[in-house]
């Protein structure tokens, strides 16, 4: 896949961000806490504010086909942590290594920014995503019962963590 590239989005990439985020929410609605309706009504300023945090997109040529974002924690005591958000890749590219490339780009950025720990929440029924995260060193650290109500059904979320660097504390 020589025409694939991973890019950290900048201010001029708003159309690509909007396209892939709305696609993700439309085609994988059960994978996210937000809905397409939540995002489709946002103003361009609100969209741009969501790009204030690092957003990485996989492009096939000029077409955005995958996305991962990083939401750094604020405050001195939490600045070593960030949350992985907006994870999506088109079905036809799953299993090709593109998701690995996206996560590697996010992880490299995080490490370079001094982040030691990446956290995420994933629906407990999303077995493929859970396996992907486990393959990349994430471990389950908790569960939020009924974290979401989706179509009238309670959905638990699993909390997962990956340490990028060890510190004096122990995560076990």
């Amino acid at each position: 896949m020589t025409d694939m590239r991973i890019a950290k989005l900048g201010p001029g990439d708003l159309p690509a961000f909007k396209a892939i985020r709305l696609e993700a929410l439309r085609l994988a609605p059960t994978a996210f806490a937000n809905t397409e309706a939540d995002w489709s009504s946002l103003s361009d300023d609100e969209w741009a504010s969501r790009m204030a945090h690092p957003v990485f997109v996989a492009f096939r040529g000029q077409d955005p086909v995958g996305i991962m974002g990083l939401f750094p924690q604020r405050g001195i005591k939490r600045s070593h942590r960030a949350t992985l958000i907006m994870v999506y890749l088109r079905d036809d590219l799953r299993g090709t290594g593109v998701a690995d490339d996206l996560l590697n780009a996010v992880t490299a950025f995080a490490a370079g920014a001094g982040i030691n720990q990446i956290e995420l929440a994933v629906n407990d029924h999303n077995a493929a995503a859970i396996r992907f995260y486990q393959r990349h060193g994430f471990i389950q650290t908790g569960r939020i019962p009924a974290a979401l109500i989706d179509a009238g059904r309670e959905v638990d979320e699993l909390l997962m963590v990956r340490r990028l660097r060890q510190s004096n504390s122990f995560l076990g």
Side-chain angles (χ1 to χ4, degrees):
M1 277 191 240
T2 58
D3 63 340
M4 291 296 297
R5 67 182 171 89
I6 307 297
K8 181 179 174 290
L9 298 185
D13 297 313
L14 186 58
F17 177 45
K18 288 173 82 169
I20 194 62
R21 181 62 174 153
L22 290 174
E23 175 184 314
L25 293 167
R26 182 176 56 258
L27 297 181
T30 62
F32 301 103
N34 296 119
T35 67
E36 184 179 14
D38 293 334
W39 282 66
S40 62
S41 62
L42 297 177
S43 70
D44 281 352
D45 287 343
E46 290 171 308
W47 277 94
S49 74
R50 283 160 170 77
M51 291 175 60
H53 302 290
V55 176
F56 291 82
V57 168
F59 288 92
R60 181 170 33 202
Q62 296 301 311
D63 188 26
V65 297
I67 186 171
M68 287 186 191
L70 194 65
F71 188 81
Q73 296 291 317
R74 296 176 191 239
I76 293 170
K77 293 182 179 183
R78 295 184 304 198
S79 64
H80 66 286
R81 299 169 46 210
T83 304
L84 187 66
I85 57 173
M86 298 187 292
V87 177
Y88 169 77
L89 184 65
R90 284 189 183 160
D91 283 343
D92 66 320
L93 293 170
R94 293 179 187 171
T96 65
V98 175
D100 299 320
D101 293 343
L102 264 169
L103 185 56
N104 289 339
V106 170
T107 301
F109 177 89
I115 294 168
N116 296 334
Q117 181 168 296
I118 298 178
E119 305 164 4
L120 62 88
V122 60
N123 292 346
D124 70 343
H125 66 274
N126 194 341
I130 294 165
R131 283 191 306 273
F132 171 76
Y133 296 131
Q134 288 172 333
R135 194 171 74 247
H136 284 276
F138 286 85
I139 59 169
Q140 182 180 336
T141 58
R143 172 184 292 267
I144 302 172
L148 306 172
I149 304 293
D150 189 8
R153 191 177 118 246
E154 292 182 348
V155 178
D156 290 1
E157 284 189 328
L158 304 181
L159 303 176
M160 300 184 82
V161 174
R162 177 179 169 190
R163 299 284 299 173
L164 301 181
R165 275 177 259 161
Q166 294 301 318
S167 66
N168 293 334
S169 64
F170 173 76
L171 177 66

